[in-house]
């Protein structure tokens, strides 16, 4: 059994579970929900998202899913196998709206910086040769500038609404982050972990590739095939199939971007398409 460490609570928990389930790995909870069987080959262990890079680097888990911000903060060397397209956010420098500071050059040497990410913050200010004092906090950094505990903060932002609500503005991005699948450095799927590991990566990749794609089927006039091909580029151009007693009509099938589906359907209808069906795709392997 290979062990995979997953966040036990917080923002990444749902996303990790949902992705693994969509990849066909069913959870069977056991032992007071600290562990679960995950498919045939994996045991999921539920731990604090922050501890996951540590557990993977030490070999306590073969794989882990957590934010890339937490890997950077841990300072541990792990191999990122796959970015997972959820948990997206950025670590940013923010100041009080009424501070008058509008960019990173406005942050004076000696400034006090409250953050849950002391290591990344220290490295960032070192890289721009600014001597600051770090005020480590374990959460709610956004309140620190209002309490006089700090002048500025380095904190995670996704929509920016929390900053705005707290009268803060963002002046600089320190790093972008998203959830990733990681393994121990050197234990790449090919070298050590073997077939199950490769299968896990392939399964997750196929689910991520299918996100944002739709399968479209329509009956279209044979005479319009040249234009249909332009509207439905698909993965390798549309598949054209005969329709029994279809007369002039043939069936066109293609994988299309969901973002452009509205336009695609309108274009197809203009070309005389009928019986248009659009479905979600669970997995896509090229
Ligand atoms: P938790 O503190 O356990 O909810 O998990 C926080 C992790 O979720 C962070 O380290 C990020 O990787 C990720 N995350 C994504 N968006 C945000 C956000 N807006 N605020 C905080 N964490 C976020």
């Amino acid at each position: 059994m290979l062990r995979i460490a997953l966040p036990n609570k917080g923002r990444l928990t749902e996303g990790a579970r949902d992705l693994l389930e969509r990849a066909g790995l069913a959870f069977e909870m056991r032992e007071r929900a600290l562990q679960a069987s995950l498919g045939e080959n994996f045991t999921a262990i539920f731990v604090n998202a922050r501890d996951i890079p540590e557990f993977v680097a030490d070999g306590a888990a073969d794989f882990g899913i957590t934010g890339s911000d937490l890997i950077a903060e841990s300072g541990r060397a792990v191999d990122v196998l796959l970015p997972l397209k959820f948990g997206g956010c950025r670590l940013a420098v923010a100041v009080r709206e009424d501070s008058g500071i509008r960019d990173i050059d406005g942050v004076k040497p000696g400034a006090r910086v409250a953050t849950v990410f002391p290591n990344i913050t220290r490295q960032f200010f070192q890289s721009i040769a600014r001597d600051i004092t770090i005020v480590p906090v374990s959460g709610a950094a956004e309140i620190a500038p209002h309490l006089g505990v700090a002048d500025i903060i380095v904190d995670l932002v996704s929509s920016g609404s929390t900053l705005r609500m707290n009268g803060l503005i963002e002046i600089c991005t320190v790093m972008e982050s998203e959830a990733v699948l990681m393994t121990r450095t050197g234990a790449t799927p090919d070298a050590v972990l073997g077939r199950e590991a490769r299968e896990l990566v392939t399964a997750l990749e196929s689910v991520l590739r299918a996100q944002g794609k739709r399968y479209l089927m329509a009956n279209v006039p044979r005479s319009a095939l040249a234009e249909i091909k332009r509207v439905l580029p698909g993965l390798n151009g549309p598949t054209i199939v005969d329709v029994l007693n279809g007369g002039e009509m043939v069936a066109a099938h293609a994988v299309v971007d969901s973002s452009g589906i509205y336009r695609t359907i309108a274009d197809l209808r203009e070309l005389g398409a009928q019986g248009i069906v659009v479905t979600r795709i669970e997995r896509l392997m090229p």
Side-chain angles (χ1 to χ4, degrees):
M1 284 296 226
L2 294 171
R3 280 196 181 160
I4 178 162
L6 302 175
N8 60 353
K9 58 177 164 39
R11 284 176 196 259
L12 301 176
T13 305
E14 272 306 305
R17 191 182 172 115
D18 175 62
L19 179 62
L20 290 163
E21 281 180 342
R22 282 190 288 138
L25 294 163
F27 283 84
E28 236 177 77
M29 304 306 284
R30 56 171 204 253
E31 287 176 38
R32 289 175 290 138
L34 298 176
Q35 288 191 5
S37 312
L38 184 57
E40 288 170 13
N41 300 316
F42 298 96
T43 299
I45 51 174
F46 298 102
V47 292
N48 191 311
R50 257 180 195 260
D51 295 335
I52 291 177
E54 198 76 35
F55 287 176
V56 172
D58 287 345
D62 302 291
F63 296 100
I65 291 180
T66 199
S68 52
D69 54 333
L70 298 174
I71 298 180
E73 180 61 21
S74 77
R76 298 301 306 255
V78 294
D79 283 352
V80 170
L81 297 173
L82 202 61
L84 300 177
K85 299 189 186 170
F86 70 92
C89 57
R90 57 193 181 277
L91 195 58
V93 182
V95 298
R96 269 171 66 155
E97 232 164 344
D98 58 10
S99 67
I101 303 172
R102 289 297 173 262
D103 56 31
I104 196 71
D105 291 333
V107 176
K108 297 280 169 283
R112 284 163 308 154
V113 188
T115 185
V116 180
F117 294 87
N119 296 329
I120 300 176
T121 300
R122 188 176 310 110
Q123 283 158 18
F124 171 74
F125 282 101
Q126 268 168 8
S127 75
I128 59 166
R130 195 76 35 89
D131 203 8
I132 50 97
T133 301
I134 292 181
V135 181
V137 292
S138 60
E142 63 274 7
I143 200 74
H146 299 290
L147 300 178
V149 175
D151 306 303
I152 65 177
I153 65 168
V154 169
D155 206 7
L156 291 172
V157 187
S158 39
S159 69
S161 60
T162 308
L163 288 185
R164 269 194 303 281
M165 249 164 45
N166 287 286
L168 301 171
I169 53 168
E170 204 176 328
I171 56 163
C172 174
T173 299
V174 174
M175 80 172 279
E176 304 276 348
S177 176
E178 74 178 305
V180 297
L181 174 72
M182 80 197 84
T183 190
R184 197 162 69 251
T185 296
T188 55
D190 291 329
V192 182
L193 294 174
R195 193 165 59 90
E196 290 84 359
R198 274 199 303 279
E199 284 172 3
L200 174 66
V201 173
T202 305
L204 293 175
E205 266 175 341
S206 69
V207 169
L208 294 171
R209 205 178 285 119
Q211 273 175 200
K213 300 280 185 193
R214 296 291 181 271
Y215 196 72
L216 186 146
M217 295 164 266
N219 289 344
V220 299
R222 196 185 291 275
S223 56
L225 279 183
E227 289 106 309
I228 298 282
K229 215 169 149 183
R230 186 179 46 75
V231 176
L232 284 187
L235 280 184
N236 310 302
T239 301
I240 305 298
V241 197
D242 277 332
V243 177
L244 195 64
N245 302 326
E248 179 31 23
M249 301 301 265
V250 289
H253 292 202
V255 173
V256 296
D257 284 330
S258 62
S259 58
I261 198 85
Y262 187 83
R263 182 78 262 140
T264 307
I265 290 175
D267 289 347
L268 284 174
R269 287 185 63 83
E270 248 171 54
L271 293 170
Q274 298 168 357
I276 301 173
V277 175
V278 179
T279 66
R280 286 181 184 278
I281 305 171
E282 285 189 10
R283 295 192 191 201
L284 200 55
M285 277 159 272

